[in-house]
């Protein structure tokens, strides 16, 4: 609700900017044409993820991982790592934060383990692991426009070195911090069949077919919308009571749209010039480190989405744009508000009675950012 209210306020500011001529109708139309497919994809993918969760797909995957671990905690944790990476890369960071977090917490509790190593793994990989594909993060989808709309595989090739660092560093950090808790054993849970086998099969098939479609080169909103419609129709017949207005993240959509309009208006007033002086120019290693550090700082002061929108015009080249993405994706691990995914993750944990000590969380996040952001930039320079 707070997100929706803030988004509405931003839209009012944007409307004023249009009314006084700061933002022309032509600029507004061009902005809508750019962001409409992106927001449509977010809506469709959220519906797919929510209905797949209602069908029991994510719970089944987590339980399968627990049984496959054969009682070894470290194997179970590594399975969670793999699941978090795959979910983030192919179904977006918000899917991991919203749907995978409660699943891994429940599995940890069912086998008598502390949920914190699994919860931290989920939120850190949801954010810093969201660099590899356009669908992994809304900032990546926005970057496609500046990069000339490359194929998903071409985008992945450009960011792969940085993406690898963004995955390895948090995994290593959790492994070292919780090495004692992750070295024990547990009793594997019993197999629980799906409540509705037909709905489960349709959800598994929809997600299974959607994943390769998202990297096929087709505009991502098309396969996501098809999968969403299929699941909506089948769910309407099999489990109608789960269909609700709240399936669509209206607050997030309004908030994102408001940010787009306000930042576009700010650019018309010279925001790019101001930021360009702060983050510099050039493609040397020091230049890219300065840009990535500035992007990370902006993300943690405000939020990674407006930080990207503000800094996009001062990138100027694919390599510098990757540095911006490194800063806003991998670098948004310090403050809770730096990423909507972190706020959604915290809301899920709070609803399950898991407390998060924000002081320790921010300190640990700062340590990760200090290592991973420069490491990702260095990997990009050396391996691109």
């Amino acid at each position: 609700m707070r997100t929706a209210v803030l988004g509405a306020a931003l839209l009012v500011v944007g409307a004023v900017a249009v009314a006084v001529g700061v933002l022309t109708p032509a600029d507004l139309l061009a902005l809508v044409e750019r962001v409409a497919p992106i927001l449509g994809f977010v809506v469709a993918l959220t519906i797919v993820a929510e209905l797949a969760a209602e069908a029991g797909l994510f719970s089944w995957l987590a339980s399968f991982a627990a049984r496959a671990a054969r009682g070894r905690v470290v194997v179970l944790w590594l399975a969670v790592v793999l699941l978090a990476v795959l979910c983030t890369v192919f179904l977006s960071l918000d899917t991991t934060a919203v749907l995978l977090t409660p699943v891994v917490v429940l599995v940890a509790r069912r086998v008598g383990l502390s949920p914190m190593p699994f919860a931290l793994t989920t939120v850190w990989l949801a954010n810093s692991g969201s660099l590899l594909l356009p669908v992994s993060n809304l900032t990546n989808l926005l970057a496609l426009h500046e990069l000339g709309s490359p194929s998903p595989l071409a985008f992945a090739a450009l960011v792969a070195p940085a993406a690898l660092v963004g995955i390895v560093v948090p995994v290593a950090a959790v492994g070292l911090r919780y090495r004692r808790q992750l070295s024990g054993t547990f009793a594997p849970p019993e197999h629980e069949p799906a409540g509705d086998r037909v709905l489960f099969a349709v959800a598994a098939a929809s997600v299974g077919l959607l994943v390769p479609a998202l990297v096929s080169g087709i505009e991502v909103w098309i396969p996501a919308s098809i999968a969403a419609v299929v699941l909506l129709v089948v769910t309407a017949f099999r489990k109608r009571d789960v269909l609700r207005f709240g399936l669509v993240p209206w607050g997030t959509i309004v908030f994102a749209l408001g940010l787009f309009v306000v930042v576009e208006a700010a650019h018309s007033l010279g925001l790019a010039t101001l930021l360009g002086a702060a983050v510099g120019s050039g493609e040397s290693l020091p230049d890219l480190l300065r840009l990535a550090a500035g992007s990370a700082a902006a993300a943690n002061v405000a939020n990674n989405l407006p930080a990207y929108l503000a800094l996009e015009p001062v990138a100027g080249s694919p390599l510098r744009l990757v540095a911006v993405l490194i800063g806003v994706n991998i670098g948004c691990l310090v403050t809770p508000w730096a990423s909507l995914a972190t706020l959604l993750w915290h809301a899920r944990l709070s609803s399950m009675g898991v407390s998060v000590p924000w002081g320790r969380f921010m300190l640990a996040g700062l340590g990760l950012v200090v290592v991973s952001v420069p490491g990702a930039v260095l990997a990009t320079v050396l391996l691109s």
Side-chain angles (χ1 to χ4, degrees), residues 124 177 357-366:
W124 283 342
R177 169 63 179 82
W358 282 123
R360 294 180 184 177
F361 178 88
M362 295 173 68
L363 187 60
L366 179 61

Side-chain angles (χ1 to χ4, degrees), residues 121-334:
T121 298
T122 302
V123 71
W124 283 342
L125 287 178
N127 286 297
S128 65
S130 65
L131 194 60
L132 188 60
L133 290 178
V135 300
S136 307
N137 199 319
L138 185 57
T139 56
N140 301 351
L141 288 171
L142 291 169
L144 286 183
H145 178 78
E146 288 297 302
L147 292 171
S149 301
S151 70
L153 293 180
F155 179 90
L158 180 64
V159 301
L164 181 61
V165 173
I167 292 171
V168 169
V169 172
V171 171
V174 174
L176 289 173
R177 169 63 179 82
Y178 293 98
R179 58 188 179 278
R180 292 183 179 178
Q181 292 94 321
L182 297 176
S183 63
T185 59
F186 63 91
E190 297 293 330
H191 171 68
E192 293 184 5
D196 187 321
R197 293 184 178 181
V198 173
L199 186 57
F200 177 85
V202 172
S206 298
V207 174
L209 293 173
L210 178 59
V211 168
L214 292 177
V215 296
S216 66
I218 303 172
E219 290 192 54
V220 292
W221 67 269
I222 297 175
S225 299
I226 293 172
V229 170
V230 169
L231 279 173
L232 282 170
V233 171
V234 176
T235 303
F237 283 99
R238 306 292 302 189
K239 203 174 180 180
R240 183 187 294 269
D241 60 303
V242 306
L243 297 181
R244 59 192 186 280
F245 186 75
L247 280 177
V248 176
W250 298 112
T252 301
I253 298 301
V254 173
F255 177 69
L257 187 57
L259 281 175
F260 289 141
V261 175
V262 169
V263 172
E264 187 70 20
H267 281 309
S268 298
L269 294 174
L271 178 62
T273 302
L274 179 64
L275 290 175
V279 299
S281 60
E283 295 187 351
S284 67
L285 179 58
D287 292 328
L288 296 176
L289 287 171
R290 177 182 177 184
L291 177 57
S295 302
N300 284 286
V301 168
N303 177 271
N304 60 352
L305 182 57
Y308 172 81
L309 291 171
L311 288 160
E312 181 189 73
V314 304
S317 71
L319 190 58
R320 283 181 59 82
L321 193 63
V322 171
V324 172
L325 289 175
I326 288 171
V328 299
N329 288 11
I330 298 178
C332 66
L333 301 180
V334 184

Side-chain angles (χ1 to χ4, degrees), residues 1-8 10-11 38-39 42-43 46 92-94 98 138 246-260 303-305 339-341 343-344:
M1 182 62 70
R2 292 178 181 177
T3 303
V5 172
L6 180 57
L10 291 173
L11 285 177
I38 296 172
L39 296 180
V42 172
V43 170
T46 302
S92 88
L93 75 167
D94 292 331
V98 172
L138 185 57
L247 280 177
V248 176
W250 298 112
T252 301
I253 298 301
V254 173
F255 177 69
L257 187 57
L259 281 175
F260 289 141
N303 177 271
N304 60 352
L305 182 57
S339 168
L340 282 176
L343 295 175
L344 293 170

Side-chain angles (χ1 to χ4, degrees), residues 30-45:
L31 178 65
V32 171
E33 289 178 347
R34 179 183 178 187
V35 304
I38 296 172
L39 296 180
F41 165 75
V42 172
V43 170
L45 191 61

